[in-house]
Amino acid sequence: MSGSLRATSGLRPAGIAAFRAPLALRHTRYVSTRSSLSGESVAPLVTVTPTEVKKPAVSAHSVIPTGILLRSLLVTTVSSHPLLLGSSLSILSFLTKSRSLLLDVERNPLIHWVLRKTFYDHFCAGEREAEVHKTIEQIKSTGVKGVILTYTRETVQDSRTEQQRFANTKALEKAASTDTCEHIEAWREDVLRTVDMLGPGDFLAPKLTGAGPKVTQAFAAGQPVPTQMVEALDEVCRRVVEKKARLLMDAEQHAFLQGIHSLTLDMMRKYNRGGEAVIYNTFQAYLKAAPELIASHLKLAHEEGFTLGLKLVRGAYMSSDPRHLIHDTKENTDQAYDTIVRGILQQNYKGFGEKGRPFPATDLFLATHNVESAVAAHNLHQTRVRDNLPTCKVEFGQLMGMADGVTYGLLQLRGQNRAPPAVYKCLHWGSLSECLSFLLRRAAENRDAVSRTMTEHEALKAEVKRRIRAVFSRS
Ligand SMILES: Cc1cc2nc3c(=O)[nH]c(=O)nc-3n(C[C@H](O)[C@H](O)[C@H](O)COP(=O)(O)OP(=O)(O)OC[C@H]3O[C@@H](n4cnc5c(N)ncnc54)[C@H](O)[C@@H]3O)c2cc1C
C-alpha cells in the first residue's frame, strides 16, 4: 500500500512511496482553515491523496546493515505487542526508580547484559567513546547528512513527589558542596568529550539539567545559574564553533524550561551573528503557550539582530509536565506543530513578515517522527524555493532506533536542486543508568504511536524477507 503527497500549491508529487506503507497517509489531512491557536486564517498545510504510486526501486530500509535490521525487528516486535511492551515499560520504570543494589543496572551483570543487548543498543550509541565513534561511522554510512550527539545524563523531576532523580554516575556520587560545583564540572567534561566526537556539520544536543542540583534549583526558582555554569556553556559553544558544528539545546521539563531558554538565548546573542544559527532553542508545540513564546523569541531576534535557531518538537514530557499546560488532544498538538512550521516557512507569523515588520533571520530544525509533518514541510519549502518566495532553511532529525522509515524515506525525496533534504540522526550516549529515563520515554513513545510502530515493524519485516529471498535466489 502506498500513497502520494502533494503540496496544495501543485508541487510535483513527492516520492512518498519511499516511506513504505505509511498508514497515516491513507487520508487527506488539513490544518483547519481557522487556527484556534493563533486566530489567523490558514490554508491547508498539505493534501494527502490516495493515488497509484509505483513501488520505489529501493526500500527505505535497504541501507540498514543486517545485524541492526534484525535487532530493530526484535525491538519493534516487542514494541508492537501491547503485553510485551507494557511489561517492558513496567520493568524499565521499576529499574529507573529502584534504589536496590541488587537491581542496580550498573552492578547486576545479568540485567546490564540484557538491557544492553536489546533496548540500549537499539536506541543508544554506546557507553564509551570508542563505541560511539563506531556507531557514528555506521549511521553516517547510511547517507544521513550528519549526527546529533547527546550526552544523556539529565535530571528528571517527578511532578507528583517533587523529587529529583539523578543518574548515579561515579562523578556525581563523589560530588561535594564546594564553591566549585563538581556536578557542573562533571557536566562540562562530559559535554566537551561529546564535542570532541563531532565532525563538521554535526550537532551537539546538550541537556542542561545534567549539570546537577545547583543548576536545576536555579532554573526552578527563576534565578540565574552559577557563573561557573555560564562559563562552562560558553566554553562548550566556543568548541562547537571551532569544530564547525552547531548546537541544538534540548527542551526539558516545563519547570526548567524558562531557565534553559534564557541561557540559550544568551548564547544565541553571542554566537548567531554571522547570518546563520549556530545555537538553537527547542520549542515544544504541545505547550499551549508555544506560539506566543516563539513570537517573543522572534521579537528579540529582530530587535537585537541575531539569527533565531528554532528547533521544533511536539514535546516528550507528557507524563511529568503539568497536564493543563499541554493541548487537550493529540490533534491540537498536531495542528499547533504544523501551524508553526507553516508560519515560519512562509515567513509570516504572528505579525512578523507583514507590512513594516520584517521577518527576522530564522533557521528551522524539525525534530519529528511524524511523516506527515516532515513531508508537508519539505514540500512547502520546495514550493517556496521554486516560486522564489521568502522562506528559510529547514532541516530534519529523528532519533536513532526510531522511525528509520521516515529518515530514509525523506532521504529518497529530491528538492529543486535534485539534492535530498538535510536529515540527521540523533544519537544518545552515556552509561546504561544515565540512559534509563531516555529509554523509558522512547518505550512510551512507541506505545503511544501504535500505528507508526506497526508501520515500522511491517517495513522491517518486509526488508528481512526481501534479503532472505535475495539469498535464496542467488544460491
Ligand atoms: C531529533 C529529536 C530531538 C528531540 N528533542 C526533544 C527535546 O529537546 N525536547 C522534547 O521535549 N522532546 C524532544 N523530542 C521528542 C519529541 O518531543 C516527541 O516526543 C517525539 O518526537 C514524538 O513526536 P513526533 O513529532 O515525532 O510525532 P507524533 O508521534 O505524531 O506525536 C507524538 C507527540 O504528540 C503529543 N501528544 C500525544 N498525545 C497527546 C495528547 N493526548 N494531547 C496532546 N498532545 C499529545 C506528544 O508531544 C507526543 O510526544 C525530540 C525528538 C527528536 C526526533
Side-chain angles (χ1 to χ4, degrees):
M1 184 269 308
S2 328
S4 131
L5 190 145
R6 195 170 302 151
T8 47
S9 53
L11 188 74
R12 192 163 35 79
I16 197 66
F19 290 94
R20 302 288 296 169
L23 297 175
L25 294 182
R26 272 188 274 174
H27 50 83
T28 303
R29 187 178 65 140
Y30 290 97
V31 172
S32 115
T33 50
R34 176 152 294 275
S35 162
S36 58
L37 301 159
S38 60
E40 291 155 14
S41 202
V42 289
L45 175 69
V46 61
T47 305
V48 183
T49 49
T51 55
E52 278 178 38
V53 171
K54 283 184 231 121
K55 232 174 153 194
V58 192
S59 113
H61 292 79
S62 61
V63 291
I64 302 174
T66 301
I68 296 174
L69 188 75
L70 292 175
R71 192 184 57 220
S72 301
L73 187 63
L74 171 71
V75 172
T76 59
T77 303
V78 173
S79 303
S80 55
H81 196 290
L83 204 66
L84 290 177
L85 184 60
S87 318
S88 311
L89 264 165
S90 306
I91 293 168
L92 272 177
S93 172
F94 183 70
L95 291 175
T96 312
K97 289 175 188 147
S98 169
R99 294 274 171 271
S100 156
L101 282 186
L102 198 66
L103 296 176
D104 186 327
V105 295
E106 300 296 347
R107 291 187 167 99
N108 183 318
L110 183 64
I111 296 178
H112 190 276
W113 188 86
V114 172
L115 281 178
R116 264 241 47 171
K117 292 291 164 203
T118 52
F119 285 104
Y120 181 95
D121 281 352
H122 182 71
F123 291 111
C124 301
E127 296 193 80
R128 293 177 226 311
E129 275 100 329
E131 291 167 356
V132 181
H133 276 300
K134 266 171 90 175
T135 313
I136 293 175
E137 212 175 291
Q138 185 274 314
I139 293 279
K140 285 189 174 175
S141 74
T142 62
V144 293
K145 184 135 192 218
V147 295
I148 304 162
L149 205 53
T150 298
Y151 190 78
T152 306
R153 187 190 307 144
E154 63 185 322
T155 299
V156 178
Q157 180 172 278
D158 189 325
S159 64
R160 282 156 302 220
T161 62
E162 291 298 311
Q163 278 181 349
Q164 293 184 356
R165 290 197 306 274
F166 291 93
N168 60 345
T169 60
K170 289 201 178 74
L172 294 186
E173 277 167 12
K174 70 177 171 98
S177 176
T178 56
D179 277 353
T180 307
C181 172
E182 285 193 41
H183 292 291
I184 297 177
E185 182 51 22
W187 179 88
R188 187 187 77 90
E189 285 173 11
D190 290 333
V191 175
L192 287 176
R193 281 161 64 206
T194 312
V195 177
D196 283 342
M197 290 188 273
L198 298 175
D202 288 339
F203 284 98
L204 175 78
K207 286 186 191 303
L208 290 181
T209 63
K214 282 191 177 170
V215 170
T216 54
Q217 280 157 16
F219 283 161
Q223 302 287 326
V225 293
T227 310
Q228 185 192 349
M229 182 64 194
V230 180
E231 288 171 358
L233 182 59
D234 191 44
E235 184 183 356
V236 165
C237 292
R238 250 193 345 263
R239 292 275 290 274
V240 163
V241 171
E242 282 165 18
K243 281 270 184 175
K244 298 191 176 11
R246 288 175 285 168
L247 185 153
L248 301 168
M249 188 64 77
D250 261 25
E252 304 186 50
Q253 283 175 286
H254 190 263
F256 308 131
L257 210 51
Q258 205 183 343
I260 294 173
H261 276 158
S262 131
L263 207 47
T264 312
L265 266 173
D266 283 343
M267 297 300 138
M268 277 197 220
R269 287 182 176 104
K270 183 165 176 186
Y271 291 97
N272 290 4
R273 291 285 171 190
E276 67 167 8
V278 177
I279 315 289
Y280 290 64
N281 242 326
T282 300
F283 298 87
Q284 295 157 316
Y286 71 6
L287 293 177
K288 291 174 184 166
E292 291 307 328
L293 186 63
I294 291 171
S296 70
H297 285 225
L298 282 169
K299 184 165 180 281
L300 290 174
H302 171 60
E303 285 169 358
E304 301 179 33
F306 61 87
T307 301
L308 183 68
L310 197 168
K311 171 185 156 204
L312 190 65
V313 297
R314 279 180 168 75
Y317 296 88
M318 274 198 72
S319 60
S320 51
D321 271 351
R323 188 65 185 89
H324 68 281
L325 299 176
I326 297 173
H327 286 299
D328 298 338
T329 62
K330 167 84 164 65
E331 289 67 33
N332 286 354
T333 297
D334 289 344
Q335 182 177 323
Y337 193 93
D338 291 341
T339 304
I340 295 165
V341 172
R342 195 170 158 282
I344 303 299
L345 284 177
Q346 294 193 327
Q347 306 275 276
N348 187 332
Y349 189 74
K350 298 261 172 208
F352 291 100
E354 286 172 8
K355 273 202 186 104
R357 225 172 162 206
F359 202 89
T362 305
D363 287 346
L364 185 61
F365 192 98
L366 301 180
T368 183
H369 301 143
N370 185 304
V371 67
E372 288 183 296
S373 290
V375 176
H378 170 76
N379 283 350
L380 177 59
H381 180 250
Q382 288 306 312
T383 316
R384 308 236 2 130
V385 171
R386 184 197 64 191
D387 296 346
N388 270 326
L389 292 167
T391 190
C392 66
K393 178 161 80 184
V394 58
E395 295 167 293
F396 301 89
Q398 289 81 42
L399 300 171
M400 173 182 160
M402 302 282 297
D404 283 345
V406 176
T407 304
Y408 300 115
L410 280 172
L411 284 175
Q412 292 188 356
L413 301 181
R414 287 294 171 270
Q416 294 296 313
N417 57 359
R418 312 303 308 152
V423 186
Y424 297 79
K425 260 315 199 197
C426 181
L427 279 48
H428 285 66
W429 78 287
S431 70
L432 188 50
S433 56
E434 287 168 333
C435 291
L436 275 184
S437 290
F438 169 74
L439 290 177
L440 194 58
R441 288 201 297 279
R442 300 293 65 86
E445 186 182 331
N446 275 336
R447 177 198 57 200
D448 296 341
V450 185
S451 76
R452 190 177 52 226
T453 307
M454 294 299 292
T455 304
E456 185 71 17
H457 180 61
E458 290 304 319
L460 286 164
K461 240 172 37 187
E463 177 60 17
V464 170
K465 280 186 193 155
R466 189 189 67 78
R467 288 188 198 186
I468 293 171
R469 275 199 303 272
V471 169
F472 281 112
S473 66
R474 270 202 301 269
S475 57

